[in-house]
Amino acid sequence: MLNLNGYLGPEINVSKKKIYDHNKALFDLCIEINQFCQIFKYELKVDENDNIGIVATLLFFKLLDTYQSVILLYQYGLDTQARIVNRTILEGLWVLKNLYFAPDKTFKLLIEDEYFKKVNMLHDIKNNHDYFYEYLTKNNIINVEAEMEKLTANMKQFGVEKIRKINVKEMALNSNSELEYFYIYKLLCRDVHVDTGQLTNYFMSGVDGSIEGFDDSPSTINIEEVLITTADLILKAVIFLSKILKIDKNVEISYYINQVHNF
């Protein structure tokens, strides 16, 4: 991997082939599940007045794209990055599950969260005085007071009485996902944030444990655990979207879940 472009150089193609050949059965299973999900996606029909169904479907689209991203990253041997992206699927799945268990409450929370983000951004622009915010205000790129008035009017029009941020832990526990949150999610969070323990993955150690250098070559050390997990999560997303839209995919889903759990 000692070249000018790293993972963007042509040399990576040699590593990609080795990674695929060594993990062919696993990749083929993930790709087969992806094909099932793609067909499922294009078969979806949602009533234009079904707000819950629309949001759930759009969320599934995002989760499927993310699932594909995890597979692509592992084809390149980007182990840590694949784990980071995998966390997004967990968070989205919990929202999807909540849209099934408590649809109205969750839909309301999603709206409140969206307004929370917009209002917070305007407060940041108004109250912070670094160069970026000064540039925005001095050059009249945004009128904070006018934008805040628009948001307030919209909230009143749609009956939004309060704003709040979505709590990931709350989403998990309210959807009976304790195991996923306290085990899988907590582990994946270490990759997202700066964690000195995770940085040791880039060390080249001698027999005695001494540091002999740094290593950023392709790695698939966690490939089976992560790809099996991400395949299981996307199938759960299919399950809950099917429940929300009242689609019967039980036979197909059971088949693929068995394939994953017996891998």
Side-chain angles (χ1 to χ4, degrees):
M1 291 301 293
L2 295 177
N3 58 78
L4 285 175
N5 293 301
Y7 286 89
L8 302 181
E11 294 84 356
I12 191 62
N13 291 324
V14 176
S15 295
K16 282 179 65 179
K17 186 177 186 310
K18 289 180 180 178
I19 290 170
Y20 175 76
D21 290 344
H22 189 68
N23 302 279
K24 185 178 185 303
L26 180 56
F27 277 122
D28 287 351
L29 174 59
C30 290
I31 291 170
E32 185 180 351
I33 290 171
N34 178 65
Q35 290 174 342
F36 162 68
C37 292
Q38 284 288 114
I39 294 170
F40 171 75
K41 179 177 75 173
Y42 288 113
E43 289 177 343
L44 295 174
K45 294 180 181 179
V46 188
D47 188 285
E48 63 180 10
N49 297 313
D50 180 6
N51 291 329
I52 305 299
I54 291 172
V55 172
T57 300
L58 294 175
L59 180 54
F60 176 75
F61 277 36
K62 177 181 179 180
L63 295 185
L64 183 53
D65 285 349
T66 309
Y67 169 74
Q68 294 170 0
S69 299
V70 175
I71 297 170
L72 287 170
L73 286 167
Y74 263 121
Q75 288 180 351
Y76 282 84
L78 288 162
D79 181 67
T80 299
Q81 290 68 28
R83 296 199 304 270
I84 290 171
V85 174
N86 205 29
R87 195 185 82 156
T88 305
I89 301 180
L90 265 176
E91 293 182 359
L93 176 61
W94 295 334
V95 174
L96 189 59
K97 290 169 77 172
N98 275 276
L99 283 169
Y100 171 71
F101 289 121
D104 294 333
K105 179 182 177 181
T106 306
F107 184 74
K108 182 181 179 182
L109 175 57
L110 290 173
I111 295 174
E112 292 171 349
D113 177 77
E114 185 62 26
Y115 278 109
F116 175 87
K117 293 171 183 173
K118 291 178 178 178
V119 169
N120 262 23
M121 182 188 70
L122 292 174
H123 279 309
D124 285 342
I125 293 173
K126 181 177 180 179
N127 298 322
N128 287 275
H129 302 288
D130 61 23
Y131 292 117
F132 173 68
Y133 292 117
E134 285 185 8
Y135 176 81
L136 290 177
T137 52
K138 287 182 178 179
N139 290 279
N140 296 317
I141 293 175
I142 184 170
N143 185 321
V144 175
E145 299 299 336
E147 291 299 320
M148 190 66 79
E149 288 177 5
K150 288 180 185 177
L151 279 178
T152 303
N154 283 338
M155 289 172 61
K156 185 176 181 180
Q157 179 183 351
F158 294 107
V160 180
E161 299 177 353
K162 64 177 181 178
I163 58 174
R164 59 173 293 202
K165 183 179 180 180
I166 287 179
N167 184 291
V168 175
K169 182 177 181 180
E170 180 183 340
M171 285 282 108
L173 300 188
N174 286 346
S175 60
N176 304 317
S177 305
E178 292 87 352
L179 182 62
E180 291 172 354
Y181 178 79
F182 288 110
Y183 179 62
I184 302 174
Y185 187 76
K186 290 289 188 179
L187 288 176
L188 295 176
C189 282
R190 294 191 64 186
D191 294 302
V192 175
H193 306 295
V194 176
D195 187 304
T196 54
Q198 301 299 88
L199 295 179
T200 57
N201 295 334
Y202 293 98
F203 284 153
M204 293 175 63
S205 303
V207 177
D208 60 352
S210 61
I211 299 174
E212 295 186 343
F214 301 110
D215 180 16
D216 66 344
S217 58
S219 171
T220 56
I221 189 170
N222 298 290
I223 187 169
E224 184 169 324
E225 294 89 338
V226 176
L227 286 187
I228 288 298
T229 298
T230 198
D232 184 64
L233 295 177
I234 198 63
L235 289 171
K236 287 179 179 176
V238 173
I239 289 172
F240 280 94
L241 182 58
S242 297
K243 290 177 181 288
I244 292 169
L245 299 180
K246 296 179 174 58
I247 300 172
D248 184 5
K249 286 289 181 181
N250 292 335
V251 174
E252 297 96 324
I253 293 171
S254 295
Y255 168 77
Y256 285 113
I257 287 178
N258 286 332
Q259 292 286 99
V260 169
H261 290 178
N262 293 326
F263 187 84

